[in-house]
Amino acid sequence: MTPTRVRRQVVGIALALAILAYVQRVAISQAAGPISTDLGLDKAQMGMVFGAFGLSYALFEIPMGLSGDRLGVKKILTRLVLAWSFFTALTGAAWSLASMWVIRFLFGAGEAGCFPNLTRMLSQWLPRPERVKAQALMWACTRWGGAVTPPLVLLAINVVGWRWAFVMFGLLGVAWVLWFRRSFTENPANHPGVNEAELALLAESQALVGQSHGSWLALLLRPQALLLCVQYFCWSYVWYFFVTWMPTFLGEVHGQSAAGMAGLSVLPLLMGGLGSLTAGLLPLAIPRHTVAIICFISVAILMALVPFAPNVWVAIGLLALTAFLGDMLVPISWNQCVELGQGYTATMGAAMNMFANFSGFLAPVVGGMLLKASGNDWAPMLWLMSGVAGLGAMSWIIMGAAGTAPAVAKG
């Protein structure tokens, strides 16, 4: 009997939400100019607005991941997507720094459960070889979703203004929930379209996500779990530059117009998506910790060179290559969450993403402070990101030396 392919529909649902989440998340970076003008915000204050999302995203990661492990993906994602889409739309109603900060904080709290629960969804609906590729494709789609966002936001702002643009993006989340509720079942055995052959393919995956060894806290305190979290923090610290300060950098340092900033901002995110796909297609025999070390060292070098770029094309080329190499780390890291977490897959992913989004809070805030303190000199911000990438390389070196890094991606 040929297996049915309902699991591919599930992958489509996951990819759509991953793209949507990044479109809603990245929109504010392109709208930073008109928001700052309308609300009278300086760079340090705009950095606080950017950072509000990262702070709440980090704080609510583990509670949202635990909720998904205990309540199921369908219940938790329905509630979360409706909540964060509401606050996406409400962004357009902000009238001050305080109101914008609170709205973005609550938006981040909603999005906190997205990727840990999507990882659990893919883990229970895909056999291991397909899961590795699906993780790579999902993260590629997040970057590509982010890549198309700048021109979409610019178009929306020009047509309806930045306030109504956020309302439009919020409505997309409601549409996704309607599709999800009608199409997804928690257990493959309960889906009317799944035959016995497809269930047999998913038997091992169902067993994996059903295993729990000890408490979730004991899992998170294991050395390999902590090191995995630290290295993800380091890449995220660099990555948040692309969706917060990069358009402003291109405008101020390299004289780009709003259209130029939007167009060039697409390139690093497109290259990041290709990096994620590349990681998923690497031969299984290549040690993943070696790939991670090489990527982090390369990122550190490239970011250190960006302040010396003689023109915008060299600068965007360095940033695009940084995104490509750095995003190769993403599917490697998330697949390791499944192997470590098992029955606590969403919780392990939430912990790792929590560290990442503490960096999402720190990076734009610290960046704004450095710009203000240095009189708009961008070099200190970029060099700090270079140093953080070096710390990421050290984390993987320690994992490899201790025998806790994944030698190959299990498939």
Side-chain angles (χ1 to χ4, degrees), residues 86-95 100 103 162-167:
F86 171 76
F87 287 111
T88 298
L90 196 60
T91 301
W95 65 91
M100 179 65 82
I103 291 168
W162 71 268
R163 295 182 182 275
W164 282 105
F166 280 97
V167 174

Side-chain angles (χ1 to χ4, degrees), residues 121-175:
M121 178 196 294
L122 295 177
S123 300
Q124 62 197 29
W125 265 93
L126 295 176
R128 283 182 174 179
E130 294 181 22
R131 186 187 73 227
V132 175
K133 292 181 175 64
Q135 280 283 356
L137 181 58
M138 181 177 75
W139 285 101
C141 286
T142 66
R143 297 332 193 211
W144 293 335
V148 301
T149 300
L152 281 178
V153 174
L154 182 62
L155 176 63
I157 290 173
N158 287 335
V159 173
V160 298
W162 71 268
R163 295 182 182 275
W164 282 105
F166 280 97
V167 174
M168 292 167 55
F169 290 134
L171 290 174
L172 294 175
V174 178

Side-chain angles (χ1 to χ4, degrees), residues 164-241:
W164 282 105
F166 280 97
V167 174
M168 292 167 55
F169 290 134
L171 290 174
L172 294 175
V174 178
W176 182 89
V177 168
L178 294 174
W179 176 32
F180 176 63
R181 295 292 300 176
R182 186 176 63 180
S183 306
F184 179 76
T185 62
E186 194 75 31
N187 190 329
N190 296 332
H191 196 290
V194 176
N195 66 11
E196 292 297 324
E198 188 169 27
L199 279 178
L201 278 178
L202 303 178
E204 184 181 0
S205 298
Q206 287 292 299
L208 178 68
V209 296
Q211 295 175 6
S212 299
H213 302 294
S215 71
W216 63 270
L217 184 58
L219 164 69
L220 300 185
L221 292 176
R222 292 170 63 186
Q224 58 265 54
L226 293 172
L227 287 166
L228 191 66
C229 292
V230 170
Q231 64 84 30
Y232 207 58
F233 171 96
C234 293
W235 167 236
S236 294
Y237 192 94
V238 179
W239 184 83
Y240 265 95
F241 176 75

Side-chain angles (χ1 to χ4, degrees), residues 33 57 79 85 99 102 106 108 143 161 189 209 220 246-247 251 331 352 358 362 364 375 385:
Y57 198 106
R79 298 168 186 175
S85 296
S99 64
V102 170
L106 294 173
R143 297 332 193 211
V209 296
L220 300 185
M246 185 177 69
M352 185 180 77
F358 275 132
L362 288 173
M385 288 188 281

